């Protein structure tokens, strides 16, 4: 059940505030009025007019932020790949099927929230469904995380997600025109599909082949920046990263860097969104489980190594690294953001404290919403989660939550329906 407590005080808790060097704080009470944190005080005496909500010594922390989500897909494993172009054409045929598609996205957004993700950043969706969900959430009509939305992306013929989650631009002029078309729907950012992906690769050792030529990338970025919008780029090869960094604001996924790439990152002020989650099944699963081809598995290993290598290099150079799941890929569900934190620690050698900070306040900063959310501070949105054990000692504590709070709405004992096969196989790599 969930209910909106207009004025209440969260007390008897261990507070983790989301800052980079956070330490457990006790003896604090967090006051919530409507959708906001209005004060953080001493727990010895509860202010008049606030209902006392005793958290029984459990851990209170900011809600997680997932910077890389594709809302229309579930992440359910499939033995055979489906044709996304046909599916999108079917779902956008008429108002009835469109309505079904929006309801599907609404359900997946709800799952994100119930798993402790209070903000999502969508990076490629069907038609204008992402902004529809964003706006319904803002109006309080649906139970959903805050949404930073991109709607459709821009690709090229034969490019990644071309004709399904992305328009196909053939010339620089068309690329700019598609950006303008997307911008008319008032999204928060623009997404480009600059290279292919693991599923697009035809030759072993060549994932992320450059598809969108530099002139098209520049034209799209120039138009987006003129409209005041940031550009996120799907890239999975060093060549793609270099081309992207001439103009874009974020690298989604990544590839093994060189000195030139690192210099471009610094010059552009760009950041990486590390997405280790989708690479795990392709690179590390037995193919009898992942149903990947030999070529896909080998290319999955290349992409996995590249994402991790870029993240490590960026961290060493002081370049921000955000976290996202790429939800929608096989085995990557809308309820497993906590796993991305675990992978960040395991494969990128960061501490649990830094991983939690990255998934909260840093992710909020990279999404441009740190003035609203990402940490437990007076004046910020009441976007919070509660868990029974200390996530700074074991991030799997985030797997089962006692409470999720979004804009002051309190959801007690949140639960989502999970896929047993996904749980079983992914747990092998924690």
């Amino acid at each position: 059940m969930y209910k909106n407590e207009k004025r209440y005080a969260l007390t008897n808790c261990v507070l983790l505030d989301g800052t980079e060097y956070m330490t457990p704080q006790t003896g604090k009470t967090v006051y919530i009025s409507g959708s906001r944190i209005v004060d953080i005080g001493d727990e010895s005496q509860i202010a008049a007019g606030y209902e006392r909500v005793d958290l029984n010594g459990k851990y209170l922390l900011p809600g997680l932020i997932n910077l890389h989500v594709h809302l229309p897909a579930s992440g359910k494993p499939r033995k055979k790949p489906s044709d996304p172009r046909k599916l999108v054409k079917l779902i956008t045929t008429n108002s009835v099927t469109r309505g079904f598609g929006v309801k599907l996205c609404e359900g997946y957004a709800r799952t994100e929230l119930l798993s402790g993700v209070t903000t999502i950043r969508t990076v490629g969706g069907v038609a204008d469904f992402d902004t529809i969900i964003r706006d319904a959430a803002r109006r309080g009509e649906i139970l959903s995380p805050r949404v930073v939305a991109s709607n459709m992306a821009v690709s090229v013929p034969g490019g990644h997600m071309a004709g399904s989650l992305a328009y196909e631009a053939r010339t620089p002029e068309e690329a700019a025109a598609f950006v303008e078309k997307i911008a008319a729907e008032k999204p928060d950012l623009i997404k480009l599909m600059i290279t292919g992906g693991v599923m697009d690769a035809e030759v072993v050792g060549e994932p992320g082949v450059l598809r969108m030529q530099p002139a098209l990338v520049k034209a799209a970025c120039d138009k987006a920046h003129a409209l005041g919008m940031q550009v996120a780029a799907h890239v999975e090869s060093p060549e793609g990263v270099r081309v992207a960094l001439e103009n874009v604001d974020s690298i989604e996924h990544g590839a093994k860097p060189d000195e030139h790439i690192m210099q471009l990152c610094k010059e552009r002020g760009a950041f990486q969104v590390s997405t280790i989650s989708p690479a795990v099944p392709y690179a590390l699963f037995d193919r009898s489980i992942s149903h990947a081809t030999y070529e896909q598995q080998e290319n999955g290993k290349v992409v996995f190594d590249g994402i991790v290598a870029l993240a490590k290099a960026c961290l060493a150079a002081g370049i921000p690294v955000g976290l996202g799941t790429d939800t929608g890929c096989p085995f990557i569900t809308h309820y497993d953001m906590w796993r991305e934190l675990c992978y960040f620690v395991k494969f990128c050698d960061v501490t649990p404290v830094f991983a939690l900070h990255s998934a909260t306040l840093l992710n909020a900063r990279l999404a441009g919403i740190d003035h609203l959310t990402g940490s437990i501070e007076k004046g910020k949105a009441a976007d919070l989660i509660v868990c029974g054990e200390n996530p700074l000692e074991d991030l799997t504590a985030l797997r089962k939550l006692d409470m999720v709070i979004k804009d002051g709405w309190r959801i007690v004992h949140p639960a989502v329906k999970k896929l047993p096969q996904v749980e079983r196989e992914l747990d092998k790599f924690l």
Side-chain angles (χ1 to χ4, degrees), residues 91-114:
I91 211 166
T92 56
T93 298
N94 54 53
S95 61
V96 174
T97 56
R98 276 181 56 88
F100 173 79
V102 171
K103 290 298 290 185
L104 193 71
C105 291
E106 178 187 334
Y108 292 148
R110 179 188 177 98
T111 296
E112 291 270 355
L113 181 62
L114 294 178

Side-chain angles (χ1 to χ4, degrees), residues 7 15 37 50 106 125 191 206 239 247 285 295 316 320 331 337 364 385 389 395 397 401 429-430:
R7 288 166 65 89
L15 192 152
I37 298 170
Y50 287 84
E106 178 187 334
K191 173 74 179 296
E206 293 185 7
E239 181 185 19
N247 293 281
F285 279 17
E295 290 79 9
F331 288 91
M337 176 62 184
I385 56 178
E389 305 297 329
L395 286 166
L401 301 176
F429 298 93
L430 288 175

Side-chain angles (χ1 to χ4, degrees), residues 32-324:
I32 295 171
S33 180
S35 65
R36 295 287 165 180
I37 298 170
V38 294
D39 201 7
I40 300 172
D42 193 295
E43 73 174 7
S44 59
Q45 185 174 357
I46 303 299
Y50 287 84
E51 177 192 356
R52 178 187 179 94
V53 178
D54 191 332
L55 295 183
N56 299 306
K58 293 173 182 175
Y59 289 80
L60 177 67
L61 55 150
L64 303 180
I65 297 173
N66 189 343
L67 287 187
H68 196 110
V69 173
H70 300 284
L71 262 184
S74 68
K76 183 179 180 179
R78 299 180 185 276
K79 291 184 178 180
K80 294 181 180 180
S82 57
D83 185 337
R85 294 175 71 108
K86 288 184 178 179
L87 290 172
V88 170
K89 185 177 180 180
L90 175 64
I91 211 166
T92 56
T93 298
N94 54 53
S95 61
V96 174
T97 56
R98 276 181 56 88
F100 173 79
V102 171
K103 290 298 290 185
L104 193 71
C105 291
E106 178 187 334
Y108 292 148
R110 179 188 177 98
T111 296
E112 291 270 355
L113 181 62
L114 294 178
S115 72
V117 175
T118 54
T119 299
I120 59 174
R121 173 177 174 262
T122 66
V123 280
V126 173
D128 59 347
F129 293 2
D130 293 351
T131 49
I132 289 173
I133 297 297
R134 179 199 65 190
D135 295 345
R138 283 179 178 172
R139 293 190 296 267
E141 297 171 356
I142 61 173
L143 191 60
S144 165
R146 176 177 286 100
V147 181
V148 179
S150 70
N151 284 347
M152 292 278 284
V154 180
S155 188
V156 295
H160 192 57
M161 293 297 173
S164 58
L165 305 186
Y167 296 115
E168 299 173 276
R170 292 168 174 78
T171 65
E173 292 75 21
E174 282 191 358
F178 279 129
V179 168
E180 199 160 22
K181 178 178 180 177
I182 297 164
E185 298 162 348
K186 301 189 184 306
D188 303 293
L189 72 153
I190 296 294
K191 173 74 179 296
L192 303 182
M193 304 293 192
I194 291 179
T195 74
V198 171
M199 297 295 287
D200 308 321
E202 299 173 354
V203 180
V204 171
E206 293 185 7
V209 171
L210 183 66
R211 303 292 189 193
M212 184 177 285
Q213 295 304 308
L216 275 77
V217 175
K218 185 177 188 304
C221 290
D222 285 351
K223 176 60 70 174
H225 291 149
L227 294 169
M229 304 176 74
Q230 286 198 336
V231 181
H234 166 102
V235 279
E236 293 186 350
S237 67
E239 181 185 19
V241 173
R242 285 190 288 270
V243 168
L245 284 173
E246 294 289 344
N247 293 281
V248 307
D249 302 289
S250 71
I251 298 296
E252 311 292 313
H253 317 304
K256 285 189 176 180
D258 55 24
E259 289 185 11
H260 184 208
I261 285 173
M262 299 312 297
Q263 185 61 37
L264 285 171
C265 278
K266 293 176 182 177
E267 290 175 358
R268 283 285 313 147
F271 59 90
Q272 179 197 14
V273 175
S274 173
T275 56
I276 298 172
S277 290
V280 168
Y282 283 120
L284 304 183
F285 279 17
D286 186 278
R287 288 195 288 116
S288 66
I289 302 298
S290 67
H291 303 293
T293 65
Y294 169 75
E295 290 79 9
Q296 288 167 350
Q297 184 175 62
E298 292 305 303
N299 286 323
K301 292 175 182 177
V302 173
V303 170
F304 179 93
D305 290 343
I307 291 170
V308 170
L310 182 60
K312 285 184 173 181
C314 286
L315 291 169
I319 295 166
V321 177
L323 303 183

